[in-house]
Amino acid sequence: MRTGRLAPSPTGLLHLGNAWAFWLAWLDIRSLGGKLVLRLENIDPARSRAEYEQALRKDLAWLGLDWDTEAPPQSTRGARYDQVLEALACRGLSYPCYCTRKELRSLAGAPHMNDAGAPYPGTCRNLTTGERAALEAAGRRSSLRLRCPAKAIWRFTDRVRGAQSATLEDCGGDFALRRSDGVYAYQLAVVVDDLDQGVTSVVRGCDILISTPRQMYLYSLLQAEPPSYAHIPLVLDHEGERLAKRHGSLSLAALRDAGIRPETLLGLLAGLAGLQETYAPLRAAELLQRSGTNFSLEQVRRDSLILPANPVEAMLAQQG
Ligand code: GLU
């Protein structure tokens, strides 16, 4: 059974970009007759809040996006993540890393794929037991890193972006599985969850593309097939900036409060993406079948969706 997922992080209010990503994930699985899982990615206790969880459920329902089952939230999955960490450690695949963020930031390096920065230089890769003990005695806390084959090339066909290839070095080299404060890393949690939940189709923003080879490597270590990937274009403001906290007026809650209807917002997104010729209002399911053709992710272009300078006014104008 084809299985997709909505994997929101309850760390803030959903914005237009999240609506776009969740709508496409929903359209994809609904067009394939598959099953959609909702999974709360509340892995980071310091950033996740119950109020955002409630808000995102309300937003998804308002958009008209439903799901078939709900997976256990990441905050409840520690024992399972530990089990995988233990298995990787037993195979000598992970090691404690004592580098601080500050030390790593100070490394100059050529920019790599997206914003990975310089790859991890391997400082703690081959420390002796004595060196580890000395660092620990000095009060250093360790994260856990995965030993990665730096030069091997990872290839996959992205359903929106086509043929992709990168080495793990391009993607930042040895990466963290658990942070020094004990929080499980996104890369680990997302792979173990997608695997356990039978996810076969991942649809997410192209800002996460850089993580995909790392996740594919984890799949290979767990002797599992990775899902198919679609990295969709981002929604940018009129100056080409990614949507962030300062775009609070573009949160779904704020748009709803401004009197905008969900179909107006979806119509704008579809128009910006070239999935319809105008910005005419559109309900979530209306893209499933239009003029005799079924929706397929392959119809989505790679170009970013650039919002008009006054998106709220543009949407209100559509409502007449
Ligand atoms: N929870 C992640 C986010 O909200 C999604 C990660 C993913 O789709 O793999 O950005």
Side-chain angles (χ1 to χ4, degrees):
M1 168 81 127
R2 298 271 203 146
T3 303
R5 38 65 154 195
L6 304 174
S9 303
T11 55
L13 291 173
L14 298 189
H15 53 60
L16 274 172
N18 303 119
W20 167 237
F22 295 142
W23 188 25
L24 287 185
W26 182 89
L27 284 166
D28 175 48
I29 216 68
R30 292 288 175 248
S31 69
L32 297 169
K35 182 180 95 174
L36 197 59
V37 178
L38 174 72
R39 177 174 78 228
L40 292 176
E41 300 218 319
N42 56 356
I43 194 82
D44 189 341
R47 292 179 61 223
S48 303
R49 300 233 195 99
E51 71 208 62
Y52 291 135
E53 188 188 316
Q54 279 159 14
L56 72 86
R57 287 178 193 278
K58 184 171 173 185
D59 290 343
L60 291 171
W62 179 72
L63 290 168
L65 306 182
D66 59 352
W67 54 90
D68 306 297
T69 54
E70 185 160 348
Q74 291 185 328
S75 58
T76 65
R77 303 251 302 146
R80 173 67 177 135
Y81 303 144
D82 280 339
Q83 190 186 33
V84 174
L85 288 179
E86 184 62 31
L88 294 172
C90 284
R91 291 158 68 189
L93 288 162
S94 59
Y95 60 89
C97 169
Y98 299 88
C99 299
T100 61
R101 275 179 192 227
K102 201 169 160 206
E103 284 164 353
L104 294 175
R105 254 200 316 269
S106 68
L107 295 167
H112 280 249
M113 189 177 163
N114 296 350
D115 46 10
Y120 178 69
T123 318
C124 296
R125 208 171 209 247
N126 298 311
L127 294 180
T128 61
T129 318
E131 285 168 328
R132 283 182 190 152
L135 284 158
E136 270 162 38
R140 289 262 192 151
R141 288 197 302 175
S142 59
S143 62
L144 196 62
R145 272 182 200 273
L146 186 68
R147 226 174 264 284
C148 293
K151 303 287 182 199
I153 300 178
W154 293 86
R155 296 179 205 281
F156 66 101
T157 304
D158 187 283
R159 294 173 61 203
V160 171
R161 310 183 72 82
Q164 303 291 314
S165 67
T167 64
L168 288 171
E169 190 173 48
D170 294 332
C171 301
D174 292 359
F175 59 89
L177 299 171
R178 196 181 58 214
R179 299 187 333 208
S180 62
D181 60 3
V183 174
Y184 302 100
Y186 155 71
Q187 311 292 354
L188 173 82
V190 83
V191 167
V192 176
D193 286 357
D194 281 340
L195 190 59
D196 290 354
Q197 293 153 20
V199 170
T200 59
S201 169
V202 167
V203 179
R204 58 189 180 192
C206 63
D207 51 335
I208 303 183
L209 188 55
I210 190 162
S211 288
T212 303
R214 298 185 244 189
Q215 295 175 13
M216 290 176 76
Y217 178 50
L218 272 174
Y219 273 96
S220 77
L221 294 177
L222 301 174
Q223 275 135 9
E225 277 299 307
S228 70
Y229 292 102
H231 290 91
I232 60 161
L234 301 184
V235 178
L236 307 178
D237 74 7
H238 68 291
E239 287 172 327
E241 291 291 323
R242 280 171 55 168
L243 299 187
K245 288 244 164 57
R246 66 187 177 82
H247 295 93
S249 64
L250 299 181
S251 74
L252 301 187
L255 295 173
R256 184 167 55 233
D257 289 347
I260 287 165
R261 293 192 284 268
E263 53 271 29
T264 313
L265 180 161
L266 296 178
L268 174 73
L269 292 172
L272 293 173
L275 291 171
Q276 68 168 355
E277 276 168 25
T278 65
Y279 296 159
L282 199 61
R283 284 192 315 277
E286 278 183 83
L287 267 194
L288 282 175
Q289 217 194 11
R290 287 175 73 79
S291 35
T293 49
N294 291 331
F295 174 84
S296 113
L297 267 184
E298 286 71 14
Q299 296 160 358
V300 175
R301 298 189 304 219
R302 295 184 195 190
D303 318 76
S304 304
L305 281 63
I306 310 282
L307 289 169
N310 293 306
V312 178
E313 280 163 36
M315 283 189 267
L316 289 173
Q318 281 296 325
Q319 295 185 175

